[in-house]
Amino acid sequence: FVESVRPGDDGPGRYHDGERWRNLVAREETLHVRGGDSVALTVRETRHGPLVNDLLPRSREPLALAWSGAWPGDGIGPWLRAARAGDGDAFVAALARHHEPALAVAWVDVRGQGGTQVVGWIPSRALPSGLVPVSGRSTWAQWQEPVPAERLPAARLGARRPTLVVADGPLERGAHRRVEWLWRTGERQRRIETLLAEAAAEGPVGLPRMAALQLAATSGGARELLDSVASLAGSPAQLGPEGREVLALLQDWDGVASRESGGAAVYHVFLGRLTRALLEPVLGPELFERYVALVHANPRPLVARILAGAEGWG
């Protein structure tokens, strides 16, 4: 929350909660450092949480960090009850009162039921925040109550959904999402879904095939990107010796991203250098670093589209 803060005549200062000015709450914390001197820290709080802007690497407006774990709740009891559940329905019901941390749970029971369920105290928002700091004085931004457990994202196995994959993708999509998320790209999840569909098309999928799918390490989309690279690079004779060696390693790579693969190592270094060469001149160094640091950013599809467009332009 972005807070409106002003110094007080005495004490830690005051902040505006949207209706009136209130005193900041201050407390002293002592951080005991192994092998060094203890550090005294003054923590100032609004009704949302502690002010954290002084801990950030650059100067920022007063920012208070709200955390559902600071609210009363039970993070252990629901799991103890879930461990004694007789079936999947009882398991999900037991976790309905789980408080913190918010988790995405995949479950299956001996009767063949299975599914996914998000659990935890997640604030119900009148309007989406866009995952950026919101005004501490705005009534719409306040945490009033959690999203009800029965409205948290969930999915069940069934005739219309024979498989469920829980990896690096979102658990709900579309314009009417009930919860704001920071997910990774979903590339791993899409790859698993493709492999499962291919395996199922060949007949029943047994345990050995499932184990092989879990260990699959082929990099999806890499081959198409490298084909564009080879086309745009032209004749290897035009390149220097290092360029020819890199191009040969990339062309000979089988796409398997194992730790023993020299081609995989070259590919990932090459993709990072290529991404920087294409995007940094447009975005600038600071914005480029912020982009590649995002947990949900995946430059590969963007780079592949740029290369495909360059091929089309000749």
Side-chain angles (χ1 to χ4, degrees):
F1 289 85
V2 180
E3 303 285 17
S4 301
V5 175
R6 68 183 187 189
D9 297 333
D10 53 3
R14 298 168 67 81
Y15 73 99
H16 203 285
D17 66 0
E19 296 181 356
R20 60 187 177 87
W21 289 96
R22 302 171 59 169
N23 290 328
L24 288 164
V25 176
R27 69 176 190 274
E28 297 295 325
E29 296 276 3
T30 301
L31 309 180
H32 300 286
V33 180
R34 178 179 296 174
D37 297 331
S38 296
V39 178
L41 184 67
T42 299
V43 179
R44 299 187 301 158
E45 289 186 276
T46 72
R47 60 173 175 162
H48 300 120
L51 294 173
V52 297
N53 48 289
D54 288 342
L55 304 177
L56 301 177
R58 57 190 177 91
S59 179
R60 293 291 301 267
E61 65 272 31
L63 293 173
L65 180 64
W67 174 44
S68 59
W71 291 44
D74 189 355
I76 298 296
W79 290 97
L80 298 177
R81 292 187 288 274
R84 295 170 173 81
D87 57 25
D89 292 331
F91 177 81
V92 172
L95 292 183
R97 296 179 64 85
H98 171 67
H99 180 75
E100 169 67 25
L103 297 169
V105 181
W107 61 271
V108 65
D109 67 17
V110 294
R111 300 177 185 176
Q113 299 183 97
T116 60
Q117 177 68 55
V118 173
V119 299
W121 201 107
I122 297 174
S124 180
R125 299 181 184 275
L127 293 172
S129 72
L131 295 173
V132 297
V134 293
S135 171
R137 300 174 70 156
S138 299
T139 56
W140 63 266
Q142 307 309 315
W143 291 8
Q144 303 294 340
E145 56 187 15
V147 176
E150 63 273 13
R151 292 188 59 236
L152 288 173
R156 290 286 184 108
L157 290 171
R160 294 187 177 183
R161 194 191 293 264
T163 60
L164 276 172
V165 177
V166 182
D168 60 346
L171 291 175
E172 60 175 358
R173 297 177 173 89
H176 302 290
R177 294 192 303 270
R178 291 152 290 183
V179 179
E180 294 184 83
W181 305 99
L182 267 179
W183 290 105
R184 294 192 64 83
T185 63
E187 186 172 12
R188 174 68 175 162
Q189 181 162 323
R190 289 190 295 271
R191 178 66 179 159
I192 295 173
E193 289 169 346
T194 299
L195 294 174
L196 280 174
E198 292 173 352
E202 299 173 5
V205 181
L207 185 60
R209 184 65 182 274
M210 287 297 296
L213 295 185
Q214 290 286 337
L215 298 174
T218 300
S219 182
R223 192 70 265 157
E224 292 84 355
L225 185 149
L226 292 178
D227 288 344
S228 295
V229 167
S231 173
L232 292 166
S235 171
Q238 303 176 39
L239 304 174
E242 294 89 352
R244 290 196 297 272
E245 182 180 3
V246 168
L247 186 59
L249 283 166
L250 293 176
Q251 289 178 320
D252 293 341
W253 179 44
D254 59 5
V256 176
S258 64
R259 62 184 177 184
E260 298 85 7
S261 171
V266 172
Y267 167 72
H268 286 286
V269 174
F270 174 76
L271 180 59
R273 297 287 184 89
L274 182 60
T275 301
R276 181 179 295 275
L278 289 172
L279 301 184
E280 190 176 56
V282 180
L283 299 177
E286 182 180 357
L287 191 57
F288 175 78
E289 294 296 341
R290 289 173 60 188
Y291 166 64
V292 296
L294 292 172
V295 69
H296 53 283
N298 180 17
R300 186 195 57 75
L302 177 60
V303 170
R305 290 182 65 181
I306 293 172
L307 296 182
E311 275 192 286
W313 298 328

